Every structure is written in structure tokens, then in C-alpha cells.
Amino acid sequence: MTPSIYARRARAAVLLLLGSMCAVLPAWAQVTLNLKDADINTLIATVSEVTGKNFIVDPRVKGKVTVISSSPMDAAGVYETFLAVLQVQGFAAIPAGESIKIVPETNARQDGGSYNSSGEGLAIDEVVTHVYNIQNVSAAQLVPILRPLVPQWGHLAAYAPSNMLIISDRAANVVRLEKLIRQIDQSSDRDIEMVHLKNAGAADMVRTLTALTQGDKNQDPSVKPAIVLADERSNNVLVGGDKADRQKMIDIIRQLDVEIGEGGATQVYYLNYGSAENLAPILEGYAQQVNTEGKTGAAAAAPTSSGSNANGVKVLADKETNSLIITAPPKAMRLIRDVIAQLDVRRSQVLVDGIIAEVSADKSSQLGVDWAVFNGNTIAAAGILNPTTLTAIASASAATSTTAAVAGALSQGINIGGGALSSGGTTFALLLKALKGDGNTNVLSQPSLTTLDNQEAEFSVGQEVPFLTGSYSNTGTSSTSGSVNPFQTIERKDVGLTLGITPQINQGNTIKLKLKLEISSLAANSTSAVDLVTNKRTLSNTVTVEDGQILVLGGLIDDSLNDSRSGVPFISDIPLLGSLFKYRSVQRTKRNLMVFIRPAIVRTQAQGDYYTRRKYDSAREAQLNGTAGSIPLIGGTRPVMPGFDTAARDHMPASVPPPGALPGAAPPATPDSEPINVPTTTRPIPLLPEGESTVVTPTGRR
């Protein structure tokens, strides 16, 4: 055996002897530990004898320890020294019932440990687990702050639902972390206070304070002033920030919120969208009503001074600049300004497209035989069944030639005639008439009109037609020259299409439309101002329709049949032969008239450009298709509308970039291209030119 082995055995024997001596001492006796390079298991056995505790040693617990003590210790001091030695060696003591487990620190948090509310009352190096309830800050925010203070084997985690922090570490470190947590878990000095203004306006006050704090921030970017917000409904100012910054801002507000005086002040407000003439009486009435509600008894019934209402408010409208000149006390001025801000807003527009479609079909058929027999001496008979033949006979009798008489007897259709002249002076004539007619009429009108919300608009296309209303002829009186001076009175009336609308945009893109539609035309048989006949169709209605929805307003389906027969009694009933003695006329007329409407809300410039481009391109395409080629005889090109983008760019101010040059805008399209900006809708857009089919999607047209 080597000398080193003998030396180790000797030291072990000494330690065993020291342990035996300690074991026989009473519990209150003092023990002095002086160990040098002693085996840790020997120390564990010695502490067990001194303290009376049972230890379970993990096989991985190995090593040499050195303990130097200059004064004796009791059992509690020996155990605390033992725990400190274990910590230095990288081991931990974990309570397990009536025993204590000695394990490596890496297994300490998995193997358990006593639960203690704060870690106090335990040995400083004992492993404990504690749960903290965080009151003011977020437990998750504390984890990265405290993590460097917890050893690698320790455990630190946050439970967000109940805002708790879980720590598993030695008792001494748990006590230290608890003190840090209590110092951090304090209510913040930042808060929000509300200041009610009595004289000044909340919006003006916030603008003043914002300008003040912005100047301080420009001088020192690190400054974080208090945040101020205006609640115009209650005329309150919300101040948020640290207590000192809040108090500073509140002091400024109190100094500014002072009463200027009852003399009032005069201010000029330039309106952006509203009409000054319309708003002036509304504002005066509002100010008078507020003043009446704020007074009672004799104060409310007191007479007012000339030129102003009860509270000294006077509102004048300047039509040229569309501005309001207001004279009022500060409080009334603030109230009036708030009303102006709510009334002077941009109003949406409504584009209304209409479709008036009328389809009619006329079919007629005529077949008959007219005959006549005449003898000046003996007999005369005739069978005239066609009413038009009588007119022809009258015309023929007045004719001066045989040719004119024959031509007068002819009418539309196939005319087959025959006649004979006998030696006895008997003349007979036969005329067969056959006519078939088939006519179709297709009328399509698509009026379009754009107007402001709640603004009446009217669109009319037609002619002024003269109607004879009276006449006079002074037949009994002659002028000096011997001529008569008759005269007629003529009244001109509009005949054509008239569309009037008044839209009202409601909640949820619903539009209430008040419509008035009139379609009139002259009948085909009208020849002069005396016998003019007007066909008239009118519609007056109020409907509710969604944005982009097509709605039928009204219509008429008419189907009429007229079957007339004329014949010679008894003879016309004879089969075959009776056909020569009868006339039949059949006429059938079918008419289908429908009126549709489609409104669209236009709120932005992009939507307005989209609908305008559609109409513009449709009109330009009609010009290109209908005016191809050069002008005959004189030469040159026909006038055509320029492309939409070209026209928009040519009429745009120099300071405004052309379409497509704005940041984020699409590049300009060619004159014949489709529109770029489209409304966000998936509903097909109707009222397209014939042959075109388009669906609008959020990404464009397809």
C-alpha cells in the first residue's frame, strides 16, 4: 500500500473518532467541525449523528470537503453549515417525509422541496418552492427581469391567467427575490384624470396644449409629456401621464379655462361643404333654444335687444365666400362651433340608372270581296263590305278621268279587280282585297342622373310641340286694304322623357328614393297642331333599395285581339260560295312595358371616377363605331371625344400630378383601357352597352 493510502485511512479514522465523540454528547452540547479533504459521505454521517436527521444519499453524491471552524456550534448551526457545504459542492437537501434526500442540484426542482409562503423560518440553503400573487404589474414581464437572479437549476415561471409567479430555489434566494418583487409590484404613477371645462372648448384646449408640448419635445426629444385628449360631447379634457406631468397640465388648463366676459366676440367660419345661407337661421334658432332651456322664470321671459336673440348671439351669412359671421359669448360660441362641425360635412352622392323597356308586336290580316252590278234601266245592286271601299268610291266619283277613278279604288295589299260591259247597258265590277301586316316595336331608354344626398334633381330630354288652343277669324271686319286678319293661339308643351329623383341615404347603404318619371310621345296619326294625340306614361313612387340593387318600379303587359267580320246575310254562310260575299279583319296587339331602377352610392373620388369612366368610355365607343372614316366631300376627320385619362390630365391643375402619379396609385391607362379604381363589390354591374359583360371584384374588372 502506498503512503497516500495510509494517510487517507488515518484521516478517516480520526473523523470517525470525532463522530463517535460527538454522538455521546448531549443535544445542547457545542460541536466544532474542522475537516480537510474529508469524504462528503463522512460529513453526511457526522451531521446525521449530531442533528439526529435521516439522510438518503444519491449515488451521484461524491467528493471531498473542507470545513474550518474556530468556535463550537449547536446542532442547528451544524445543519446550516452542512447545507452550505452541499451548495458549494453542487448538491441539495430535499425533505422527503422523515428523511432528507441528498441529490445533485440539477434534480432538486424535480425531486420536490418544501412549500413555504416566503422562505423565512427555514435554513437559508434549503430548497423551497413559492408562489407569488402579482397585483399591479404583469407576471410575464417579471420573468426576464428575475431570471438572471435564479440559478440555472432553479425554476422561474409565470402563470398568466391568474397573474402568478412560481419560484423554486434556495430559501435565502427566495427571500431576496420576494423583496425585489414587492418593490417592483407597485401601482404605477401614470394615470388618467378628467378635467371638465366651463368656459373654453375641449377641442381648442387640446390644440393649444398639443402645440405647447410639441415645442418642448422639439427642444428635447427625450421628454415624454402628458397626453391630452378632447371629449367634445361632454366638453372634458382627458389628461394621462405621470402625476407631476398631469398636475402641470391640469394647472395650465385651469388658468386657460376662464370666463372672458359677456360682451362676446366675433369670429368668421368658412364652410367646406354646407351652405352659409341655410345654416345661419338654424344656428340662431339653436342658440336661442339653448339659452331658453338654461333660464327659468323671468329670466326666460326677459325681452331681447334689437338685432340679437336672448343670449346675444347673432349669425350672419356671407354668400360670396360661403362663410358665417358669428357674434356670441365664449360659451355660446363653443356650442355653435360644435354644431357647425357636425353639420358641415361632405355629403355622399347617388348615381341613379334607369331602364325603360317597351316591346310591342302588332299583327293584322284582312280578306274580302267587294262587288257591284248596275243597269240604268232595270237593276242595280252592290256588296260593299270593306269600309275603305266607300271612301275610294267617293273619290272615284269626283275624279275627272277613268284612270284616276280606278286608282282611287285601290288600297294597300293585293287588289284583284274585274268588270264587264254588256250590250244591254249592264255593268258589273268585282274587287278582291287581301292584306297582312306584322309589326314589332322595341324601345329602350336608359336615363342616368347623379345628385347629392337629400337633393332633388331632374333630367329631361324631349321636344317642345305646338298645340292649338284657340283661333279667331274676323270675317265681318276688313282692314283698309280689304284683307281679313285671322289668328290662332298656340301652346308649346314638352314631349319626351323626364326623370326626377330625390335620394336619401339611410343606415346600412340603404337608399330611399322618391321618383317621378314621365314618358310622352306623339301618336303616329298626328299630322298638324289641330289633331295632335299624345301617348303618355307616368310613374310617381317612393321606394327603398340597397346600394347597387336593381329594382322593378312598375310595368304593363297588354294583349288585345280584335276580330271583325262583315258579310251578306244568308249568302255568306254558304260554303265556298259564301267567301265571295264576306269580309274579315283580324288584329292582335301585344305590349310589354317595364321600368327598372338601379342606384349606386358615390362616397369617394375613386368611386366617382369609376362610374364616370364607364359612361365616358361607352359614349366614346359609340362615336368611334358610328363615325368611322373621314368627312365626305370636304375631308378631314370626324370629331371624337378624347380618352378619359387624356381628358382628365389635360384639365387638371399644374400642381396636381396626373392620374397614376400619386404615391401608391396605379400607372395611367391608355385612352381606351378599362377603369382602374373600382368599388369593392362582387355584384355584377348592370346597364352595360350591348355585348359587354363585366363583373366587378375587389381586385379589378374581369
Side-chain angles (χ1 to χ4, degrees):
M1 297 180 65
T2 60
S4 59
I5 296 176
Y6 285 115
R8 287 197 297 271
R9 287 184 175 179
R11 286 193 295 271
V14 173
L15 291 175
L16 291 175
L17 178 61
L18 178 60
S20 300
M21 293 174 60
C22 295
V24 297
L25 294 175
W28 46 266
Q30 302 291 320
V31 177
T32 302
L33 290 179
N34 287 295
L35 305 176
K36 184 177 182 181
D37 293 335
D39 187 78
I40 192 171
N41 291 309
T42 302
L43 177 61
I44 294 173
T46 302
V47 173
S48 177
E49 292 292 339
V50 173
T51 61
K53 297 180 181 294
N54 301 321
F55 295 102
I56 302 175
V57 183
D58 190 281
R60 293 169 292 180
V61 178
K62 296 179 180 179
K64 302 295 184 179
V65 297
T66 298
V67 180
I68 300 175
S69 176
S70 60
S71 60
M73 299 177 291
D74 57 7
V78 171
Y79 185 69
E80 290 182 0
T81 303
F82 171 66
L83 294 178
V85 172
L86 292 180
Q87 180 183 5
V88 172
Q89 296 295 323
F91 305 115
I94 307 300
E98 295 182 356
S99 301
I100 300 175
K101 296 187 295 185
I102 309 299
V103 297
E105 286 182 341
T106 55
N107 299 88
R109 60 182 181 181
Q110 289 88 0
D111 289 343
S114 63
Y115 173 79
N116 187 272
S117 60
S118 63
E120 297 180 353
L122 299 177
I124 60 175
D125 292 314
E126 186 172 345
V127 177
V128 296
T129 300
H130 180 64
V131 178
Y132 294 98
N133 290 317
I134 310 302
Q135 302 295 332
N136 300 292
V137 298
S138 173
Q141 294 178 351
L142 291 179
V143 171
I145 299 175
L146 302 178
R147 182 71 251 188
L149 304 179
V150 178
Q152 186 176 3
W153 61 269
H155 179 70
L156 176 64
Y159 183 63
S162 56
N163 200 36
M164 292 183 175
L165 197 65
I166 304 173
I167 301 177
S168 180
D169 197 357
R170 298 187 183 276
N173 199 31
V174 169
V175 173
R176 182 180 64 146
L177 292 178
E178 182 185 12
K179 295 179 180 179
L180 293 176
I181 292 172
R182 296 311 175 199
Q183 293 179 2
I184 297 175
D185 187 23
Q186 300 292 333
S187 59
S188 176
D189 192 33
R190 297 185 65 87
D191 201 354
I192 297 176
E193 294 187 47
M194 183 173 62
V195 182
H196 180 69
L197 302 181
K198 297 181 179 179
N199 301 289
D204 290 340
M205 183 68 70
V206 168
R207 280 193 293 267
T208 303
L209 297 177
T210 303
L212 179 63
T213 56
Q214 187 64 31
D216 296 340
K217 191 173 183 180
N218 292 336
Q219 296 179 359
D220 186 3
S222 62
V223 174
K224 294 183 178 180
I227 301 175
V228 288
L229 297 175
D231 182 17
E232 298 185 20
R233 183 184 61 84
S234 59
N235 198 37
N236 291 329
V237 177
L238 303 178
V239 183
D242 295 335
K243 184 176 182 180
D245 295 336
R246 294 198 313 270
Q247 188 59 44
K248 178 181 178 181
M249 199 66 65
I250 292 174
D251 293 341
I252 296 175
I253 294 174
R254 298 302 185 194
Q255 295 177 12
L256 294 177
D257 186 28
V258 295
E259 188 175 359
I260 298 177
E262 296 298 333
T266 301
Q267 296 185 13
V268 178
Y269 291 91
Y270 293 92
L271 301 180
N272 297 319
Y273 306 102
S275 172
E277 292 182 313
N278 296 336
L279 282 182
I282 296 176
L283 296 176
E284 280 197 350
Y286 167 74
Q288 185 174 4
Q289 179 182 359
V290 172
N291 182 72
T292 303
E293 293 177 354
K295 295 181 178 181
T296 57
T304 60
S305 60
S306 176
S308 62
N309 57 24
N311 57 351
V313 177
K314 188 173 184 180
V315 183
L316 299 177
D318 183 17
K319 182 179 179 181
E320 300 297 331
T321 60
N322 194 36
S323 58
L324 295 171
I325 304 172
I326 304 175
T327 302
K331 183 176 181 180
M333 184 74 73
R334 175 179 58 81
L335 296 175
I336 294 176
R337 186 185 57 224
D338 294 341
V339 174
I340 293 175
Q342 298 181 44
L343 294 178
D344 186 26
V345 295
R346 180 174 180 175
R347 295 161 61 186
S348 299
Q349 302 182 97
V350 178
L351 169 64
V352 178
D353 288 330
I355 300 180
I356 300 98
E358 182 175 359
V359 179
S360 61
D362 296 331
K363 293 185 179 182
S364 62
S365 178
Q366 300 177 11
L367 179 62
V369 178
D370 294 331
W371 54 270
V373 178
F374 177 75
N375 189 316
N377 299 322
T378 58
I379 187 174
I384 308 301
L385 304 177
N386 191 344
T388 59
T389 304
L390 296 174
T391 304
I393 292 175
S395 300
S397 62
T400 57
S401 63
T402 304
T403 303
V406 173
L410 299 180
S411 60
Q412 293 181 341
I414 297 178
N415 295 267
I416 301 176
L421 182 62
S422 65
S423 59
T426 300
T427 303
F428 71 92
L430 182 68
L431 181 62
L432 172 65
K433 293 183 177 182
L435 176 64
K436 183 177 182 180
D438 190 353
N440 292 305
T441 303
N442 188 349
V443 179
L444 176 64
S445 300
Q446 291 182 281
S448 181
L449 186 59
T450 302
T451 183
L452 285 172
D453 181 24
N454 287 312
Q455 187 70 39
E456 183 180 3
E458 184 175 302
F459 176 75
S460 179
V461 176
Q463 295 177 327
E464 286 190 348
V465 179
F467 288 84
L468 180 63
T469 59
S471 62
Y472 176 75
S473 177
N474 51 351
T475 57
T477 304
S478 301
S479 62
T480 56
S481 61
S483 61
V484 181
N485 297 320
F487 66 90
Q488 295 179 335
T489 57
I490 299 295
E491 180 182 0
R492 295 185 177 272
K493 296 184 179 181
D494 293 333
V495 176
L497 184 146
T498 301
L499 174 64
I501 62 171
T502 304
Q504 177 182 328
I505 302 176
N506 299 328
Q507 185 69 23
N509 291 338
T510 301
I511 306 172
K512 180 182 178 182
L513 275 177
K514 184 179 181 181
L515 300 115
K516 184 177 181 181
L517 177 66
E518 179 178 330
I519 306 172
S520 57
S521 62
L522 295 178
N525 57 354
S526 301
T527 58
S528 64
V530 179
D531 59 349
L532 290 179
V533 177
T534 305
N535 300 323
K536 190 175 182 181
R537 301 168 181 85
T538 61
L539 183 145
S540 181
N541 196 5
T542 302
V543 296
T544 300
V545 59
E546 296 291 334
D547 178 22
Q549 177 187 0
I550 300 179
L551 183 66
V552 58
L553 297 179
L556 171 65
I557 299 177
D558 186 13
D559 190 354
S560 62
L561 177 64
N562 186 8
D563 186 358
S564 61
R565 299 181 184 183
S566 300
V568 178
F570 305 111
I571 301 177
S572 61
D573 297 332
I574 301 174
L576 298 179
L577 181 62
S579 299
L580 301 176
F581 298 92
K582 65 182 178 181
Y583 174 81
R584 186 172 185 178
S585 175
V586 180
Q587 184 176 5
R588 182 175 185 179
T589 302
K590 297 181 66 175
R591 182 174 56 183
N592 191 340
L593 173 64
M594 286 293 170
V595 181
F596 302 90
I597 204 76
R598 174 191 173 272
I601 301 176
V602 181
R603 287 192 171 93
T604 63
Q605 180 181 355
Q607 292 176 330
D609 290 343
Y610 168 72
Y611 291 112
T612 303
R613 181 189 289 269
R614 290 190 59 83
K615 302 296 183 182
Y616 192 95
D617 291 346
S618 177
R620 185 172 185 272
E621 183 179 357
Q623 284 187 329
L624 294 175
N625 294 336
T627 60
S630 59
I631 301 176
L633 301 180
I634 63 175
T637 58
R638 300 176 185 268
V640 179
M641 298 168 59
F644 181 81
D645 292 324
T646 302
R649 184 166 51 249
D650 292 343
H651 293 80
M652 191 171 294
S655 59
V656 179
L662 296 175
T670 59
D672 297 329
S673 64
E674 296 294 338
I676 297 173
N677 296 321
V678 298
T680 304
T681 175
T682 56
R683 184 183 293 111
I685 302 298
L687 311 181
L688 303 177
E690 184 178 357
E692 182 180 353
S693 177
T694 301
V695 176
V696 179
T697 65
T699 57
R701 296 179 61 185
R702 58 179 173 89

